Amino acid sequence: MQVGVLTVVLGGEPLEDVLDYLDDIGVGAVELGCGGFVGDDHLATEDYLDDEEAQADLHELLEEYDMDVSALATHNNPIHPNEERAAQADEELRDAIRLASQLDVNTVTTFSGLPGGAPGDETPNWITAPWPNEHGEALEYQWEEVAIPYWSEIGEFAEKHGVDVAIEMHPNMLVYEPHSMMRLREAGGERIGANFDPSHLYWQGIEITEALRFLGAEGAIHHFHAKDTGLYESNARTKGYLDTAPYTDESDRSWLFRSVGYGHGEKHWKDIVSTLRMIGYDGALSIEHEDSLTSGREGLEKAVDLLDRAIFETTPGEAHWV
């Protein structure tokens, strides 16, 4: 197990400078954005796909800093009700899978996407309750007529290229918690699994280690995002956790994305690492920085420091004096 970083937070810097910095603070793997909401500052698909020379240059740069690539990231909505937007996201996802295969990267991270509630809708519709009855009917349409056919095809495409597709469970997407994750995996096959990001689960009331065990028992965790969430009960007591206040309105929100250790303490993160070991996950803990209360570098360095300790102090077969 090693500490990794989704490099989007450093997107304004050249990749070589990013690798030099991350190597210096003890990071061993990078997750590179190549389209969608995460952008493509460090891996524009058109610059690398089917270009062996460019790919060789990238491998040489990564080897110089002894840096692995844990995943390629292209988070978007390939089942958007707007056909043009869905087609663009689908192209980005398929290109990312092809590029990952060519680069010998095992995993592509993404979202499940979210359809409209019925044919002809123009806006994605996140269904959170089965009543009134038209909501239950909309949910059935989303799964049976849109998501299952699409992701069954993507599962076959990913298998053809030998790449796992790791879905980030995210509210306002069809897959937002572990049970919907398993439903999508059952439709798409074993190449479809989770990019387990606890930050989106905390405010839904999900117990993280239990969710890890639930998905881990099915071998359904392909990648892990290290991102924390602070829960602010003084606000939640009157507004709950379904919070539509802007992320920049920090003092009024029920929850905020935080750097690792700033929402939940070090023991909690050691429990997460220990549970990941128990279920056989030995990949990267890829830090995603979205903490509006700390700078990118400050958040990364504090997260790396905590995760390094969590990994070292939970390594099996060794005595650690702590």
Side-chain angles (χ1 to χ4, degrees):
M1 199 176 295
Q2 61 183 333
V3 177
V5 166
L6 174 61
T7 65
V8 173
V9 65
L10 303 170
E13 305 176 34
L15 181 57
E16 183 169 5
D17 292 350
V18 169
L19 296 179
D20 183 57
Y21 165 66
L22 295 179
D23 178 59
D24 187 57
I25 65 172
V27 171
V30 287
E31 180 184 356
L32 300 174
C34 63
F37 300 126
V38 297
D40 61 0
D41 288 337
H42 295 142
L43 195 73
T45 304
E46 61 266 25
D47 293 339
Y48 291 92
L49 187 62
D50 300 322
D51 189 330
E52 293 183 1
E53 183 176 350
Q55 292 173 18
D57 290 342
L58 176 62
H59 280 301
E60 183 177 343
L61 181 61
L62 291 164
E63 289 172 5
E64 180 180 348
Y65 293 98
D66 194 25
M67 195 73 65
D68 297 327
V69 179
S70 67
L72 306 188
T74 176
H75 293 60
N76 211 326
N77 186 354
I79 51 177
H80 196 288
N82 179 290
E83 292 184 2
E84 290 185 7
R85 293 185 62 174
Q88 178 181 349
D90 174 65
E91 181 180 5
E92 289 172 346
L93 176 57
R94 291 175 189 269
D95 283 350
I97 291 170
R98 291 175 56 215
L99 181 57
S101 179
Q102 292 175 10
L103 291 172
D104 293 323
V105 174
N106 296 329
T107 306
V108 168
T109 57
T110 190
F111 290 137
S112 66
L114 182 67
D121 279 3
E122 297 183 0
T123 303
N125 192 334
W126 186 39
I127 307 297
T128 59
W131 187 89
N133 292 338
E134 59 261 41
H135 291 273
E137 294 166 1
L139 186 63
E140 191 70 7
Y141 160 77
Q142 290 178 326
W143 277 101
E144 297 298 329
E145 296 189 37
V146 183
I148 288 176
Y150 178 79
W151 283 103
S152 296
E153 185 179 342
I154 290 296
E156 294 176 0
F157 186 81
E159 175 63 31
K160 176 182 175 182
H161 290 85
V163 173
D164 290 334
V165 178
I167 305 292
E168 184 173 338
M169 297 173 283
H170 197 299
N172 284 315
M173 294 290 167
L174 190 62
V175 169
Y176 61 93
E177 45 75 36
H179 291 267
S180 53
M181 178 69 256
M182 285 307 303
R183 184 174 181 181
L184 197 73
R185 179 177 170 85
E186 289 166 5
E190 292 186 358
R191 287 292 181 182
I192 307 298
N195 175 29
F196 195 104
D197 185 332
S199 69
H200 306 294
L201 306 184
Y202 289 120
W203 62 268
Q204 296 183 64
I206 294 171
E207 173 57 47
I208 301 305
T209 54
E210 291 295 326
L212 286 170
R213 288 177 179 272
F214 174 76
L215 292 173
E218 303 298 328
I221 298 176
H222 292 331
H223 196 256
F224 185 90
H225 266 181
K227 189 170 72 172
D228 211 339
T229 296
L231 303 175
Y232 301 101
E233 293 184 6
S234 59
N235 290 330
R237 278 194 289 269
T238 57
K239 67 190 301 189
Y241 287 107
L242 292 175
D243 194 340
T244 58
Y247 288 140
T248 53
D249 190 7
E250 291 93 350
S251 64
D252 190 46
R253 284 192 55 81
S254 310
W255 60 270
L256 289 172
F257 293 132
R258 297 305 316 272
S259 302
V260 172
Y262 281 73
H264 298 78
E266 186 163 328
K267 181 183 182 303
H268 173 80
W269 280 93
K270 288 179 179 177
D271 288 343
I272 288 176
V273 172
S274 295
T275 304
L276 286 168
R277 292 193 190 282
M278 291 176 189
I279 63 175
Y281 180 83
D282 195 34
L285 309 179
S286 186
I287 299 165
E288 182 182 17
H289 178 85
E290 292 186 346
D291 188 337
S292 60
L293 300 179
T294 64
S295 69
R297 292 198 174 211
E298 178 188 7
L300 288 179
E301 289 168 20
K302 290 178 176 177
V304 169
D305 182 57
L306 188 150
L307 292 173
D308 272 341
R309 289 197 302 276
I311 292 171
F312 177 73
E313 294 171 12
T314 61
T315 302
E318 298 181 20
H320 301 304
W321 298 96
V322 297

